[in-house]
Amino acid sequence: MSALPPKRESFGSKFGVIAAAAGSAIGLGNIWRFPYVAGENGGAAFIILYLAFVIAIGIPVMLSEFTIGRRAQQNVYGSFRKLAPNRPWYLIGIMGVVAAFMILAFYTAVAGWTLEYIYQAITGGFNGKTPGELNNMFDSFTSGTSRPLIWFFVFMGLTAFIIMAGVKNGIEKSTKILMPLLLIILVILIVRSVTLPGAAKGISFLFKPDFSKIGASTVLEALGQAFFSLSIGMGTLVTYGSYIQKSDDLGSTAFSVAMTDTFIAIMAGLAIFPAVFAFDITPGYGEGLVFVTLPNIFQQMPGGTIFSIMFFLLLGVAALTSTISVLEVIVAFFVEELKMKRKAATYLATFSVSLLGIMCVLSTSSMADFKIFGFTVFGLMNFTTANILLPLGGLLIVIFVAWFFGRDKAKDELTNGGKLKALYLPVFMFIIKYVAPLAIAFVFLQGLGLINLK
Ligand code: PFF
């Protein structure tokens, strides 16, 4: 007697889909990574490039992922297997699962830092500290071993706990409340940040482009950041797409998610750069930027303690709704391909990601001198996923939809079998056929120094 496979889970409502997908997209990438990468790459000119990439490439890739996932109703590997039997397209799926391992490892390390900062905020650890002392506080925390490791495991545990319970109730419900709350707190921080003395320099850094700062590597960083921030190029949104109901409009969902994500990134920039300049921190400070700048702002505000608790709490939550989505990629793969139970799959995924994660955590301390291609393990995961694996995945995904899956099936999926208009279809097809593949390939080769057209 062969039992029917259990019915696949799906999101309950369109708002739930947007909350979950935006929950995946909005995270440390917006609030932690975007400001320091923009800072290291000259600010406004970088941001313009970033926006161009989100609109011209990001949204079409996101839509392609949703299309594949909802059509196939499978994990990322299974989706390509199903839509292209006996063809090598499933390699995109394998690449996606590998990227998920790598992202989860270093991302959870940073997510752990947010827990330390929640703890510090609650115990008044920032109070009375000078900018220099806050800087030292970050350095001495990350150069330790036990605390960052403990927080890493706590965060992995939280992620695993939610995934085990099933995504629907956890993510859908919590993101609907927590995302708007994050927005409110960001607005308050922006108001405080832009009214600090000396803030004007930060605002012009953010909005006044200096194109002389743009080099080949900047373009690749902007593309990489767009992919990372939107959670695209590795099948996270193929996986989530497979949980979207057949009656939802994929086009407007992708558009809303991408716009919300971009809006939050710019807002985070507005909260952070004015303060960076006001406190004389270098915008290219790197991974510690947010962890040093924000406590400085809180120091200057009435009620700073309460806001710092709220901020780091929400940063942690934003990170959690992202780590969940990455772990789901691996767990869905284990469940459907290795026929594992969800619980066992989650244990296995969590355990194996942790092995790599420990090395990422120790990259700022005992393994700081262990370098591969000049990167620490943390740096290597951060750089290769965002700047190589995700754009490469995105390139192959659009080529797959445009040239293999084809216009007719894409149209069928995007119009829900003819029920919706999807007037954007010709533009979408044109972009995924020509614009996106050429642009990604070009930026990629140029950024890696394999061609030089300048
Ligand atoms: N988009 C998330 C962020 O900006 O924090 C990070 C991320 C999540 C990247 C999921 C990739 C992914 F599949």
Side-chain angles (χ1 to χ4, degrees):
M1 40 152 249
S2 71
L4 282 172
K7 199 172 172 301
R8 285 186 105 244
E9 266 200 279
S10 70
F11 292 123
S13 66
K14 168 148 187 182
F15 185 55
V17 174
I18 294 180
S24 169
I26 297 167
L28 298 171
N30 307 59
I31 302 166
W32 162 73
R33 198 177 193 278
F34 175 76
Y36 88 79
V37 174
E40 286 173 343
N41 288 281
F46 171 88
I47 294 170
I48 292 174
L49 265 177
Y50 169 80
L51 290 178
F53 285 144
V54 166
I55 292 166
I57 302 176
I59 297 177
V61 173
M62 187 181 281
L63 196 49
S64 302
E65 291 200 24
F66 280 157
T67 305
I68 293 167
R70 193 175 66 174
R71 186 71 163 196
Q73 298 285 302
Q74 288 283 315
N75 69 89
V76 58
Y77 169 88
S79 287
F80 286 101
R81 272 248 116 115
K82 184 161 171 190
L83 300 180
N86 305 318
R87 299 292 191 104
W89 293 105
Y90 64 85
L91 291 171
I92 305 177
I94 294 183
M95 214 171 85
V97 175
V98 170
F101 268 93
M102 294 169 66
I103 289 186
L104 204 50
F106 86 85
Y107 196 91
T108 310
V110 181
W113 300 351
T114 69
L115 298 182
E116 165 77 12
Y117 272 65
I118 294 170
Y119 171 79
Q120 291 294 346
I122 292 174
T123 54
F126 310 135
N127 292 350
K129 291 216 164 61
T130 62
E133 284 168 339
L134 287 168
N135 202 339
N136 289 341
M137 184 175 149
F138 177 75
D139 288 343
S140 70
F141 163 64
T142 51
S143 60
T145 51
S146 51
R147 287 180 85 93
L149 274 177
I150 291 170
W151 291 127
F152 168 85
F153 286 119
V154 172
F155 211 94
M156 263 330 280
L158 279 173
T159 308
F161 178 74
I162 295 176
I163 284 298
M164 252 180 228
V167 199
K168 192 173 174 180
N169 288 338
I171 306 180
E172 238 183 290
K173 275 192 193 142
S174 59
T175 46
K176 278 190 222 167
I177 302 163
L178 293 164
M179 289 295 152
L181 207 55
L182 177 72
L183 197 71
I184 294 168
I185 296 205
L186 262 181
V187 171
I188 295 170
L189 287 175
I190 289 169
V191 171
R192 176 63 267 194
S193 179
V194 298
T195 51
L196 285 167
K201 261 204 203 130
I203 299 177
S204 74
F205 180 77
L206 197 57
F207 292 118
K208 230 164 114 200
D210 173 359
F211 287 101
S212 67
K213 297 258 170 58
I214 294 206
S217 67
T218 317
V219 181
L220 181 61
E221 288 283 356
L223 183 74
Q225 176 60 26
F227 271 74
F228 187 82
S229 187
L230 295 172
S231 302
I232 54 176
M234 51 169 278
T236 299
L237 298 182
V238 171
T239 310
Y240 271 16
S242 73
Y243 305 136
I244 299 180
Q245 290 179 4
K246 289 286 182 191
S247 54
D248 280 345
D249 178 356
L250 295 182
S252 70
T253 305
F255 188 77
S256 317
V257 171
M259 285 298 122
T260 314
D261 182 67
T262 306
F263 180 67
I264 298 280
I266 303 286
M267 299 265 286
L270 252 185
I272 289 152
F273 284 114
V276 166
F277 282 87
F279 295 116
D280 232 5
I281 297 167
T282 55
Y285 184 84
E287 288 108 29
L289 188 66
V290 168
F291 291 92
V292 176
T293 321
L294 284 171
N296 267 314
I297 311 182
F298 297 128
Q299 288 281 62
Q300 313 278 316
M301 330 174 41
T305 303
I306 189 82
F307 283 113
S308 59
I309 296 171
M310 282 166 83
F311 178 80
F312 285 110
L313 194 64
L314 286 169
L315 188 58
V317 168
L320 188 60
T321 55
S322 298
T323 50
I324 289 165
S325 72
V326 188
L327 187 58
E328 181 63 21
V329 171
I330 306 172
V331 169
F333 170 77
F334 283 173
V335 168
E336 287 168 356
E337 303 304 326
L338 306 183
K339 309 281 175 254
M340 294 176 82
K341 289 256 183 319
R342 191 171 182 84
K343 206 166 167 187
T346 310
Y347 277 126
L348 180 64
T350 306
F351 176 76
S352 41
V353 167
S354 295
L355 298 179
L356 189 58
I358 291 170
M359 291 197 259
C360 291
V361 173
L362 298 180
S363 289
T364 44
S365 54
S366 50
M367 286 181 69
D369 293 328
F370 178 73
K371 298 269 170 74
I372 307 166
F373 304 123
F375 289 106
T376 59
V377 177
F378 179 103
L380 188 71
M381 298 303 124
N382 189 352
F383 180 87
T384 18
T385 50
N387 295 359
I388 299 178
L389 289 180
L390 303 191
L392 190 60
L395 175 71
L396 297 172
I397 286 167
V398 289
I399 292 176
F400 175 79
V401 174
W403 298 97
F404 184 86
F405 188 64
R407 186 180 197 284
D408 294 345
K409 285 189 213 145
K411 182 177 178 190
D412 185 57
E413 200 57 43
L414 292 171
T415 59
N416 294 351
K419 289 193 199 76
L420 303 170
K421 285 214 169 63
L423 295 175
Y424 57 81
L425 195 76
V427 181
F428 170 66
M429 289 309 297
F430 181 74
I431 290 182
I432 62 169
K433 264 186 153 163
Y434 308 107
V435 182
L438 286 174
I440 299 173
F442 172 75
V443 170
F444 209 51
L445 296 175
Q446 175 94 6
L448 294 177
L450 299 177
I451 55 168
N452 191 356
L453 298 183
K454 259 201 162 178

